[in-house]
Structures are given as structure tokens and as C-alpha cells.
Amino acid sequence: MSIIQDLQTISNDRAMLLDEKLENLLRIGTEILRLETGIVSNIRGDQYSVQSVVTPGDSIPEDAKFSLFDTYCADVASAGSVVAYHNIDIQPGASHPCFEKYTLKSYLAAPIHVFGEFYGTVNFSSLSPREEVFSALETDYLLLLASWIGNELERQQALNNLKAQKVVLEERNSLLNQITNLAGVGTWELNVDSGSIVWSGALKRMLHVHSERVLKPDEIVNFIVSEEQRKSYVNQFQEMIKTGEDFAYEVEVKTDAGEPRWLESRAHPIMENGRCVKVIGATVDITQMQIDKAVLRHKSELAESALKARSDFLANMSHEIRTPIHGVQGMLEALLATPLNAKQMELASIASQSAEALLNIVNGILDFSKFGSGEISFEEAPTSLSETIEEQIPMFLRLAEEKGVEFSASIASVKGITFIADKLRVGQVLINLLNNAFKFTKKGEVTLETKCTRYGRGRYRVKLIVTDTGIGISAQQQKIIFTPFMQAESSSERRFGGTGLGLSIVKQIVEHYDGKIEVSSELGIGARFTATLTLDDANAGAMAEKRSALNACYTPSKEELSTLKALIVEDNEINQLVIKEQLREIGLASDLAVNGEDALEKVKRSIAEKSPYAIILMDCHMPIMDGLEATKQIRKLGHQSSTLPIIALTANALTKDKEKCLKSGMNDFISKPVGVSRLKECVFRHLSMQFENNVSALKDPA
């Protein structure tokens, strides 16, 4: 019993280190077995390492290493059980490799197992042989000692593993704390059963809470400023505990220091057997994000206000500039229609050309602004490009004759094909390119060429190529030629004039049709502009015929026109004279109303007197009552007024202005300034419906 007591005493001594325990156990073994050397070995593969040793004179150092096959322990490793050699000379004899290297004469060893795996041996040996063989009691003691040592090694390894895991865990916790602190993340944990809450230091600092303060759930809820948010938070938190689904929320809080902050938190429930036992979460301060959102929202509102102000400014400027231009052009047009001598005709023509140039500048600026603000619209309809070009050729032939240059156009490639396109916008491309070509060409020629190729089913690639022999464009200038306000070199700009918007508008129109505009040029030789457009096929004849039918217009005779009267609603005195004179030239008599209220009264009176107006030309901006409200009131007067053609004749030219006019009940929209021909076409188009239906009751609505 004393042996077992000694083993137990040594094993239970928690103050004793493992090395000391092994040494004491080996020392007891040498005394009991009467063998001078005791060793605990660790065997890995074919390497034998001394882990603990007791020997006379300390002749074997700890950590000494040997080849396993040069030791008797190789027999233990092979057998997996106790090996006992009381006299080496007898067994195993001189043939054993260890016999030649070492002078051992007696050897007893047992295998050590740690966690069920072979670890090594506990062995005892002596330089002198024993007379008697090892007894069963000595073998049992050895096995008991091997088991005891195995248990101690297991315990030590377990402790080492725990320490290693603890170190790793501490390192990870430290790293996690550093990361959360750097990221500004505060973590927390709620024990659902006890209601206890643990907050990280980062979260306490976030809410200016003292580091030693212990918080309760109701105290945490009170950080939320809004009562409504507080109730919503509690309800959603309770729902999360029931369902086990994650919960994310943003709340405005007031810290312990009284500072308002915004927090975003995410909570994750820990479920056991379908019940939430714990909730863990992470919280970040999003105050700056909320401030940034508010600033961005404010900037967006400012930008929207600026866009509205810009749009209003464009509308006002369009109205204010176009109104006097309309007066100038109208009066010049009327003047040119009167008998004039050659000098007077020359001066009036120059003035008319100047007014036209001024209008082109205004239109260019307005079109560019429309593109920039998204106001521009495209009216896609079946269009014959050959007809569109042919309509422009006479004008450019006259211009070529005036400048003494040649002009030729080759349009065979687009003849007989009808495309879906906006005739006005395609015309703008053509006019801008040809105007530029003539502007910068003093001698030589200007040519227009078209090319048309199939581009998939039902589509075409159309090229409009304008070539001139003018002053040319430098390589540097070609890089910026399509940039607004910058296409002319400073010397050319002063010499030839222009706003620098034409080619920029061309570029935007061409890009609308999935195309591109290109330029190639050399100084002093000339330039070539190529506008490529991708256009849909309008199925040629069928849609073109339909369009022709829709656009068919009956032309009334002078006798028929003499029975009709128009109402001009206009507050500007010059425009009153212009429009009245234009209607007189068309052959239509007219009355005048100076504002919407006046117009409403005149329409009422005309109906009462059974001599209603055939058509109304309505300005939009007028004092007392504007044209939009006047139109709405006229439409309310009854059946006759509901079909009365009302045409907006206004200096406003933005898309939204047209939409407002049509929405108010007007039938059509013409922007000032307007020439006699365009006004005549519009008036006749609307009057033709009455003549075709033989509405004779218009003159005598009995």
C-alpha cells in the first residue's frame, strides 16, 4: 500500500511540476525494482527522446535523442506490451543491436499511452544482471506506474491545450476589441432569462455612459428620444425574441451627456430548443451619415430650385425676346409685301435677314438649354429625307449664288425610302452643317451627299456628308469643335460670328438617333462633316399615305373666308398689329381682345349674337387673365365653344409650355415669331375640318 500511497501523494500534489513528478516516480521505481536507471521516453517514428531520467551521476541528459532501433524500447514499441530482460546475456543475447552499443545487463519496460495513443515507454535498467527473473508483482507495479505516468501526461497536455486555447481566445478577443473600437462598433449581449445586459466599452463611450455603470433594459430604452420610435423598438425586439429572426433598426438617441446622436444596431437571437436564451448585437454611430443625408437632401432641393429657376428664366427670356422679334419680323414681312423702290427693298431685306439671324441665335440658345434640361422633344413620324432635303435646296442655291460658290446635292440613296424621324430635328442637322459650310467658304464649292445602307431588319444607317473648300479647321480645334461655345477659333469667331452652339446641338440630335458626328479637315483646304443616323424603316408607302391623309388640308376660297372672323387675344400692341396684318393677308377678318377676360366676354357676345368666331389665336402671358385660364373658361360656355379651334400663339417655346396649352383645352401651339405661311397653314388646317363637315351653322347657329 505504501507504493500506491506514494504514487497518489505525488500525483495529487498540485504545486509539484510535471518534471518533478516524473523524476520522483522514476526514483521510487528504481528503489522498488532495484535497478539503477529509470527513463520516461517519447517515441516518434524511429526517434527515441529522453523526457525524464534518473541515473547515477546524471550520465544521461534530458532531451537526449537516440535511434529507436539502437534501444531495447524498440522491442516494447513492437510488442505493445511489457518487455522484461533480467539478464541480457541470456535474453535477448548478443544478437540485439543494443547489446553492442550499450553495456546494459538488465532491462524492464512498459508502454505509455496518452489519450489512447502510444506515447513512449517507462523503462528501468542496470549495468549488472539480476539473478532472478522479474516477478509478477514487479511487472504489475511497472504497469501501474506506466498508467500513472500516462494520466499525468494526459493531464499536462490537457492543461497545455487549455492554456493555448486561452491565449488564442484572449488574442482574438483583444483583436476583436481593437477592430470594433477602430470601426466604431459597440457590442452588447442580453441574457433573456435574467435580463442582465453587458455593454462593451466602445458602446458605453458612444453613449457617454460611465464605464462602471450597469444598465437595465428599461434604462436602455429611455435613451431613444421619440416615444413612437421607443414603442416600435420594444415591439420589434419582442417579436424578434418570439420568431428568432434578426432585427435591424435606426433610432435617434440622447446620450448621458445630453448630446443627440443617431445609432444603427443589429440584433441576433441565440435559440435553444426553439426558445431565445440570449441576444447579441452590434451598434454603430451613424450621426454623420444622417447629417450627410440631410445636407445631400438640402443640396438636392437647392438643385431642384435652381433647375426650376433656370426653367422659369428660359421661359421668361423666350417670351420677352421672341415677342419683339415677332413684331420686327412681322412688320418687315408686311413692308416687303408693299410696293418699294430698289433701295428700300434692299434695306428692308437686310433688316429682315438680321431679324432672322437674331431669331436663329435665340433658337440655338433655347434648343441648347432644352437639351441640357431634358426639355427637348422628338416627334417621330414617317419622314422622307429626300423631300426634307429638297425643301432646303432652293434656299442654299440662292445663298451659293450670292457668295459666288458652287453648290450640289446628291440624294439618290435616300429617295423612295420613308424613315421614322423628326423632320424638324433632321432638318436642323442639315441646315446647321450647310450654314457652317457656306459661312466659312469664300470660293470653290459646297457639296451635300447622302449614303444609305441596311443596318439589320427594318433599319438603316444614313449618312449626311457636307464638304466645303473653305478655310478649314486646325487639328487642335477639331478636338473641341462639338463643345458648346467653343467650336470657332478666336479669330474666326470674331470674323464670322455665331454663338458656338450649332454643332453642339447637331451632336445631341445625332446621338439621339444612335449615331455620331465626325469631322476631317486641313487648314486652307476645307472640311468634311459626316453625320451618321440610325433610322427605322417606316414601311414606305402605307404609312406615308396615312400621313398624307392626316395632313390633307382644304384651302377655303376668298368668298368662304370673307364670311369668317378670327379673334386675336394679345396684350402687346406691336404683336396685335402684326397678327392682324398677317390674318388680313391670309384673307381673314379679325377682332382684338387685350387679355383673357376681354376674350371671354367677346366670345360670349359672339355666341349670343349668333356670329361666333371661326378661330381664336391665344397668347399665354397676359394681365388680368392669362390665355390658359381663358381657354378653360371658354370651353365651359357650351357646345359651340367646345369645338371652337383655339391656337396658342405665344413667345413661350418650351415643351412644358406646349403641354400646358394643350392640357388647358387648346387645339394647337405655335411659337412666336411666326411667318404668314406657317400661320396660314395652321389656320387653314383647323378651318378645313369645319368646311369638310359643312358646318354652315357656324355663321348662323339657329
Side-chain angles (χ1 to χ4, degrees):
M1 287 296 293
S2 62
I3 297 172
I4 295 176
Q5 286 178 350
D6 289 342
L7 291 175
Q8 190 170 7
T9 300
I10 294 170
S11 295
N12 292 337
D13 190 343
R14 298 188 178 278
M16 190 180 297
L17 299 177
L18 176 63
D19 292 343
E20 294 177 316
K21 288 183 177 182
L22 293 179
E23 185 178 340
N24 287 332
L25 290 172
L26 290 174
R27 200 173 299 282
I28 293 172
T30 57
E31 292 174 359
I32 293 172
L33 297 172
R34 302 188 306 281
L35 297 172
E36 56 199 28
T37 299
I39 296 175
V40 173
S41 70
N42 179 226
I43 297 173
R44 288 290 176 267
D46 60 356
Q47 187 176 71
Y48 175 101
S49 302
V50 176
Q51 183 166 345
S52 184
V53 59
V54 173
T55 186
D58 298 327
S59 58
I60 302 175
E62 286 188 3
D63 296 328
K65 292 179 172 51
F66 306 94
S67 170
L68 173 63
F69 301 109
D70 291 339
T71 69
Y72 292 115
C73 288
D75 298 348
V76 180
S78 176
S81 60
V82 173
V83 171
Y85 301 141
H86 73 284
N87 188 335
I88 298 298
D89 292 328
I90 300 173
Q91 187 188 9
S95 62
H96 198 286
C98 186
F99 188 85
E100 297 179 3
K101 288 200 171 193
Y102 308 109
T103 57
L104 299 178
K105 295 295 183 179
S106 180
Y107 172 84
L108 178 65
I112 298 173
H113 292 87
V114 175
F115 296 114
E117 298 291 332
F118 177 70
Y119 179 85
T121 65
V122 53
N123 62 83
F124 296 91
S125 60
S126 178
L127 294 175
S128 57
R130 279 176 45 131
E131 293 298 329
E132 69 281 359
V133 297
F134 293 106
S135 66
L137 182 61
E138 290 174 322
T139 301
D140 289 342
Y141 167 71
L142 180 66
L143 289 171
L144 180 62
L145 184 61
S147 175
W148 222 278
I149 291 173
N151 289 336
E152 288 298 323
L153 290 172
E154 282 185 2
R155 183 187 303 173
Q156 187 62 40
Q157 281 194 16
L159 288 174
N160 291 340
N161 288 339
L162 286 174
K163 287 179 181 178
Q165 291 175 8
K166 184 179 179 182
V167 169
V168 171
L169 187 60
E170 287 175 349
E171 289 177 351
R172 288 180 178 175
N173 285 337
S174 175
L175 181 60
L176 181 61
N177 287 332
Q178 291 177 36
I179 291 173
T180 54
N181 286 332
L182 286 172
V185 178
T187 57
W188 52 271
E189 181 180 311
L190 166 68
N191 186 307
V192 175
D193 293 331
S194 66
S196 62
I197 295 176
V198 178
W199 272 18
S200 68
L203 185 55
K204 287 186 175 181
R205 288 191 295 274
M206 200 179 292
L207 285 161
H208 302 141
V209 173
H210 192 275
S211 60
E212 296 182 3
R213 181 180 168 188
V214 178
L215 293 155
K216 297 179 180 178
D218 56 346
E219 292 179 301
I220 294 172
V221 172
N222 289 331
F223 279 108
I224 302 174
V225 175
S226 165
E227 179 66 28
E228 184 178 347
Q229 278 191 332
R230 197 179 302 144
K231 289 180 180 178
S232 175
Y233 168 81
V234 171
N235 291 336
Q236 290 184 64
F237 202 93
Q238 290 174 346
E239 185 69 17
M240 174 194 64
I241 291 175
K242 290 180 183 177
T243 63
E245 295 180 359
D246 288 3
F247 172 36
Y249 53 92
E250 292 181 6
V251 289
E252 184 181 13
V253 300
K254 183 174 285 187
T255 70
D256 264 4
E259 182 180 346
R261 310 293 291 174
W262 274 91
L263 303 181
E264 179 184 6
S265 193
R266 294 181 179 274
H268 174 69
I270 305 297
M271 310 295 287
E272 289 184 4
N273 300 321
R275 190 176 71 87
C276 180
V277 296
K278 186 186 295 184
V279 180
I280 58 175
T283 301
V284 292
D285 188 327
I286 59 169
T287 305
Q288 189 58 48
M289 187 188 301
Q290 292 291 332
I291 293 172
D292 292 343
K293 282 183 180 178
V295 171
L296 183 60
R297 192 161 47 245
H298 178 62
K299 287 182 177 178
S300 297
E301 291 170 356
L302 289 177
E304 289 175 3
S305 298
L307 285 173
K308 185 178 184 304
R310 175 182 180 275
S311 180
D312 292 343
F313 173 77
L314 284 173
N316 290 334
M317 286 302 97
S318 171
H319 185 272
E320 294 302 322
I321 295 173
R322 285 171 177 271
T323 297
I325 291 177
H326 183 227
V328 172
Q329 283 193 311
M331 289 294 97
L332 287 171
E333 192 176 54
L335 179 61
L336 288 168
T338 63
L340 299 173
N341 61 37
K343 186 63 177 177
Q344 291 171 331
M345 181 65 73
E346 180 187 0
L347 295 175
S349 296
I350 292 172
S352 180
Q353 290 172 8
S354 297
E356 185 67 27
L358 178 60
L359 179 61
N360 287 336
I361 291 172
V362 172
N363 285 339
I365 295 172
L366 188 61
D367 275 347
F368 177 74
S369 301
K370 284 180 180 179
F371 274 110
S373 61
E375 287 278 349
I376 201 73
S377 64
F378 286 80
E379 297 183 5
E380 312 292 6
T383 301
S384 169
L385 285 188
S386 60
E387 291 179 8
T388 302
I389 296 170
E390 285 170 346
E391 288 172 3
Q392 304 296 335
I393 287 177
M395 177 178 67
F396 289 106
L397 283 173
R398 286 194 300 273
L399 185 56
E401 186 178 349
E402 290 174 6
K403 297 202 70 175
V405 299
E406 294 182 10
F407 173 60
S408 62
S410 174
I411 59 174
S413 66
V414 293
K415 280 202 169 187
I417 306 174
T418 306
F419 305 94
I420 296 295
D422 187 322
K423 180 179 179 180
L424 176 63
R425 299 301 172 197
V426 174
Q428 269 184 288
V429 172
L430 184 66
I431 291 169
N432 269 295
L433 294 180
L434 286 172
N435 272 336
N436 273 355
F438 279 106
K439 180 190 291 186
F440 297 105
T441 303
K442 278 185 158 185
K443 60 182 179 178
E445 64 176 349
V446 173
T447 63
L448 168 64
E449 181 186 2
T450 63
K451 290 184 179 181
C452 182
T453 55
R454 284 278 183 182
Y455 187 70
R457 187 174 181 180
R459 306 199 87 189
Y460 289 94
R461 272 284 174 87
V462 178
K463 291 182 183 289
L464 302 176
I465 306 167
V466 175
T467 308
D468 66 65
T469 57
I471 62 174
I473 308 163
S474 68
Q476 183 64 30
Q477 195 64 24
Q478 289 178 45
K479 296 177 181 178
I480 59 171
I481 196 168
F482 301 109
T483 304
F485 311 107
M486 293 183 65
Q487 65 259 46
E489 303 206 33
S490 57
S491 60
S492 299
E493 187 177 4
R494 288 193 297 270
R495 183 178 173 189
F496 295 98
T499 60
L501 291 174
L503 290 178
S504 174
I505 293 170
V506 166
K507 181 175 182 289
Q508 294 181 77
I509 294 173
V510 168
E511 288 178 348
H512 171 79
Y513 288 108
D514 297 328
K516 59 182 178 178
I517 177 74
E518 299 170 289
V519 60
S520 60
S521 177
E522 289 185 35
L523 283 175
I525 296 178
R528 169 175 289 192
F529 285 86
T530 303
T532 304
L533 304 94
T534 305
L535 301 176
D536 289 328
D537 187 352
N539 297 323
M543 293 191 74
E545 288 173 11
K546 183 179 179 182
R547 180 188 58 169
S548 298
L550 289 172
N551 291 339
C553 180
Y554 173 79
T555 302
S557 65
K558 288 185 178 181
E559 289 75 20
E560 288 173 319
L561 288 173
S562 65
T563 62
L564 305 177
K565 184 179 284 188
L567 177 63
I568 303 168
V569 188
E570 173 66 64
D571 64 318
N572 184 279
E573 293 181 2
I574 295 175
N575 282 335
Q576 291 171 359
L577 293 173
V578 170
I579 301 169
K580 196 171 186 68
E581 181 63 24
Q582 289 175 329
L583 289 178
R584 186 195 63 75
E585 188 173 336
I586 291 171
L588 201 60
S590 60
D591 284 343
L592 180 67
V594 296
N595 58 56
E597 188 176 85
D598 187 18
L600 182 61
E601 292 303 318
K602 280 184 165 58
V603 172
K604 287 179 180 178
R605 188 162 56 250
S606 71
I607 294 173
E609 294 173 354
K610 297 184 179 180
S611 59
Y613 294 108
I615 195 166
I616 297 177
L617 301 179
M618 181 78 73
D619 188 22
C620 290
H621 287 273
M622 294 178 292
I624 302 176
M625 182 186 289
D626 65 25
L628 301 178
E629 183 60 31
T631 300
K632 293 176 184 176
Q633 295 300 324
I634 290 171
R635 293 303 186 204
K636 292 178 181 178
L637 293 178
H639 175 69
Q640 290 177 320
S641 64
S642 65
T643 58
L644 174 60
I646 302 177
I647 312 302
L649 185 55
T650 173
N652 293 349
L654 298 179
T655 303
K656 67 177 184 180
D657 295 319
K658 181 177 181 179
E659 292 172 352
K660 287 179 181 177
C661 291
L662 297 177
K663 191 174 181 180
S664 71
M666 297 186 190
N667 300 86
D668 211 337
F669 178 97
I670 305 178
S671 60
K672 297 173 185 174
V674 59
V676 172
S677 60
R678 189 155 67 101
L679 182 62
K680 181 179 180 179
E681 186 276 329
C682 181
V683 169
F684 280 10
R685 179 155 38 86
H686 288 280
L687 289 180
S688 66
M689 300 176 187
Q690 299 179 35
F691 287 110
E692 287 175 354
N693 295 325
N694 195 23
V695 189
S696 57
L698 181 66
K699 295 172 282 184
D700 186 19

